Amino acid sequence: QVQLVESGGGLVQPGGSLRLSCAASGRIFSINAMGWYRQGPGKERELVATITIGGSTNYADSAKGRFTISRDNAKNTVYLQMNSLKTEDTAVYYCNAYIIISSLFHGMDYWGKGTLVTVSS
């Protein structure tokens, strides 16, 4: 079984910072792309940022210049450093990873259960 477990969410004031972490565990042969998505109140889930196994990154326009995604391949962990947070960043943040469990099988997407980020004064 493969698990993705997020941590680092919480309550922060506007302008503040948070760092989210997501660790993958279980039967893992390799992990391709990893990423963060979020779902705000009354909104659909949306992309925040992704990172390939080689370190290439992609950001939503709302995240550019404020958020930084990174990963530690040795630890099967992806991070999201969020700076200059705004009230509209309030959402449940979900970790995503495309994981291959064996060289004999194709990979598939896995999701964490989410961590709540609340930006409020």
Side-chain angles (χ1 to χ4, degrees), residues 14-71:
S17 298
L18 279 177
R19 189 191 193 211
L20 306 183
S21 300
C22 171
S25 63
R27 183 183 177 186
I28 297 172
F29 177 73
S30 68
I31 303 177
N32 290 351
M34 304 184 81
W36 290 94
Y37 293 72
R38 69 185 183 186
Q39 186 165 14
K43 298 180 180 180
E44 295 186 352
R45 190 174 298 190
E46 63 179 3
L47 168 73
V48 177
T50 61
I51 184 168
T52 68
I53 191 170
S56 296
T57 58
N58 178 57
Y59 294 92
D61 288 343
S62 59
K64 288 178 181 176
R66 299 188 300 127
F67 295 1
T68 302
I69 189 170
S70 61
R71 66 188 284 174

Side-chain angles (χ1 to χ4, degrees), residues 12-16 84-87 119-121:
V12 63
Q13 292 187 341
S84 303
L85 282 161
K86 306 175 182 179
T87 55
V119 184
S120 175
S121 56

